[in-house]
């Protein structure tokens, strides 16, 4: 239960980075929402990796480079899911992009926790 709590705290911090970068790119630099979302997601994945592997998961006995590569590969699945949700929400509904982003931020962490638990944590 404590691990899930730590995962949630790290997730909130990474989400703040994700949304902050997204809004800055979209509103200040006028980057297309899908490009801005991909960039913000990548920045937040890096923050999430550093915090997750320091405070949430006990890594397997493997090099940090291998661990990071696995983390990034798993995150690509999360990025695809994130982008799909945003694409559908922005292109086919009249919802504001940040509302759709919040929906994605509820769904993607479930995928993230399960895959990281399975592939990154020592047993």
């Amino acid at each position: 239960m404590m691990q899930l709590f730590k995962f949630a705290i790290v997730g909130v911090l990474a989400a703040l980075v994700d949304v902050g970068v997204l809004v800055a790119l979209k509103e200040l630099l006028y980057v297309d929402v899908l490009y801005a979302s991909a960039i913000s997601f990548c920045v937040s994945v890096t923050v999430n990796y550093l915090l997750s592997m320091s405070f949430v998961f006990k890594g397997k006995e493997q090099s940090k480079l291998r661990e990071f590569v696995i983390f990034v590969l798993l995150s690509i699945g999360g990025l695809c899911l994130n982008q799909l949700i945003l694409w559908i929400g922005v292109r086919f509904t009249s919802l504001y992009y940040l509302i759709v982003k919040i929906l994605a931020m509820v769904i993607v962490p479930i995928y993230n926790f399960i895959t990281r638990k399975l592939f990154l944590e020592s047993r």
Side-chain angles (χ1 to χ4, degrees):
M1 189 56 86
M2 186 59 148
Q3 183 183 38
L4 199 52
F5 177 73
K6 288 179 181 179
F7 180 80
I9 296 298
V10 167
V12 167
L13 293 173
L16 290 172
V17 169
D18 191 1
V19 171
V21 172
L22 171 65
V23 170
L25 291 172
K26 171 89 171 79
E27 302 298 332
L28 300 177
L29 300 176
Y30 306 105
V31 175
D32 178 79
V33 69
L34 292 177
Y35 291 124
S37 178
I39 293 166
S40 69
F41 191 90
C42 291
V43 172
S44 74
V45 162
T46 303
V47 169
N48 199 314
Y49 167 76
L50 294 171
L51 295 174
S52 288
M53 298 315 291
S54 296
F55 302 113
V56 180
F57 298 106
K58 293 181 182 177
K60 294 181 178 181
E61 292 296 323
Q62 59 191 353
S63 76
K64 291 297 176 192
L65 177 60
R66 178 175 162 75
E67 182 179 83
F68 182 69
V69 168
I70 292 169
F71 193 94
V72 168
L73 290 173
L74 295 174
S75 296
I76 289 170
L79 174 60
C80 291
L81 183 57
N82 179 77
Q83 294 299 87
L84 179 64
I85 293 166
L86 272 168
W87 179 71
I88 291 169
V90 170
R91 299 291 187 233
F92 299 108
T93 74
S94 59
L95 292 173
Y96 185 57
Y97 78 97
L98 287 177
I99 300 296
V100 179
K101 180 64 176 178
I102 290 168
L103 175 62
M105 290 169 62
V106 169
I107 296 168
V108 173
I110 296 166
Y111 161 86
N112 285 339
F113 183 80
I114 292 169
T115 58
R116 290 172 189 166
K117 185 99 174 135
L118 289 173
F119 294 102
L120 288 173
E121 189 170 57
S122 64
R123 298 176 208 267

